[in-house]
Amino acid sequence: MYRKNSVYHLKLNNIKPYLPFAIFALLFLFGILIGAVLVGRVRTYSEFSLKAFEELYGLRSSSNFYLILKDSVLKNFLPYIALFLFGTSIVGFVFIPIIITAIGFNFGLLTGYLYITHNLNGIMFTGLILLPSAIVFLFGVILLSIEAFHFSKTLSSICIRSNKPINIYSEFKIYSIKSSVTLSAALVSVVLDVGMATLFINYFNF
């Protein structure tokens, strides 16, 4: 019996470091599911997705590299900035899971709209244009969310207990460095977004 418990705890300890990543990934997937379901049932979401897609497709199919790059940078970096700032708030840990779900929800609205409206063409557009950059973007966003969640919880516990750590500035520095590292995913996501659009956008006609 003792040996079984030891094996169970050992397995649990091996899984535990990956649980935060899995939880945030599930929240993102939950958001996608809800968005994909609602886009075909709620007119407001359908109209919103239509406008979002027209803007996305219009920019990506244009020959203006600067506008494409600018749009991609804004869409990739703004969520990172928002998550970082929420991480510096004592109540940020409450909103960070909501942000991840909302990002998934928006992605679900767009991909759901593409599937419902354009069928196979929509699936191919999602796979070639949207997914490559989205996967890298999601990986970085989840890593940043974990760091932001933990740092926000730390700040909250300090305020509640009135027990400041030895060097809060040192902890913030570590948080900032880790957050900066996740920005590399945003950069790769931008490159993939612009690159895949440049290579394949002309094969689609909506």
Side-chain angles (χ1 to χ4, degrees):
M1 185 69 179
Y2 175 76
R3 187 177 178 181
K4 286 183 179 180
N5 287 335
S6 298
V7 171
Y8 172 78
H9 286 300
L10 183 61
K11 287 181 178 179
L12 189 63
N13 288 333
N14 289 335
I15 295 171
K16 199 172 180 180
Y18 304 101
L19 280 178
F21 190 94
I23 291 169
F24 280 114
L26 286 173
L27 286 172
F28 180 81
L29 292 174
F30 176 72
I32 289 179
L33 179 62
I34 298 300
V37 169
L38 290 182
V39 71
R41 300 185 180 184
V42 181
R43 185 177 177 181
T44 305
Y45 292 137
S46 180
E47 291 174 351
F48 171 81
S49 301
L50 171 61
K51 289 178 182 177
F53 174 67
E54 286 178 343
E55 180 186 340
L56 175 74
Y57 179 71
L59 277 171
R60 298 301 182 277
S61 58
S62 72
S63 301
N64 195 323
F65 177 78
Y66 171 74
L67 286 179
I68 298 171
L69 182 63
K70 179 184 174 183
D71 181 68
S72 185
V73 167
L74 285 174
K75 287 180 178 176
N76 278 281
F77 278 86
L78 284 179
Y80 280 82
I81 294 169
L83 286 166
F84 176 82
L85 293 176
F86 272 103
T88 61
S89 167
I90 60 172
V91 294
F93 68 93
V94 176
F95 297 99
I96 289 167
I98 298 172
I99 293 173
I100 289 294
T101 308
I103 293 171
F105 180 76
N106 283 332
F107 191 73
L109 287 178
L110 182 59
T111 53
Y113 167 81
L114 282 167
Y115 173 71
I116 292 169
T117 309
H118 301 289
N119 301 316
L120 182 60
N121 227 15
I123 294 172
M124 290 177 66
F125 185 87
T126 300
L128 285 173
I129 308 296
L130 300 180
L131 268 185
S133 61
I135 290 171
V136 178
F137 168 81
L138 175 62
F139 181 76
V141 158
I142 290 177
L143 292 179
L144 178 55
S145 298
I146 294 169
E147 296 300 329
F149 185 87
H150 287 317
F151 190 70
S152 177
K153 285 275 287 182
T154 301
L155 293 177
S156 180
S157 64
I158 291 168
C159 292
I160 292 171
R161 298 173 188 173
S162 297
N163 182 25
K164 293 186 178 181
I166 297 172
N167 193 345
I168 187 65
Y169 299 105
S170 177
E171 291 192 19
F172 177 73
K173 185 178 179 181
I174 293 169
Y175 169 62
S176 299
I177 292 170
K178 288 182 177 180
S179 299
S180 299
V181 171
T182 63
L183 285 177
S184 59
L187 287 171
V188 174
S189 181
V190 169
V191 171
L192 283 171
D193 181 22
V194 176
M196 298 303 281
T198 302
L199 289 172
F200 298 109
I201 198 70
N202 290 328
Y203 291 100
F204 296 95
N205 185 21
F206 295 103

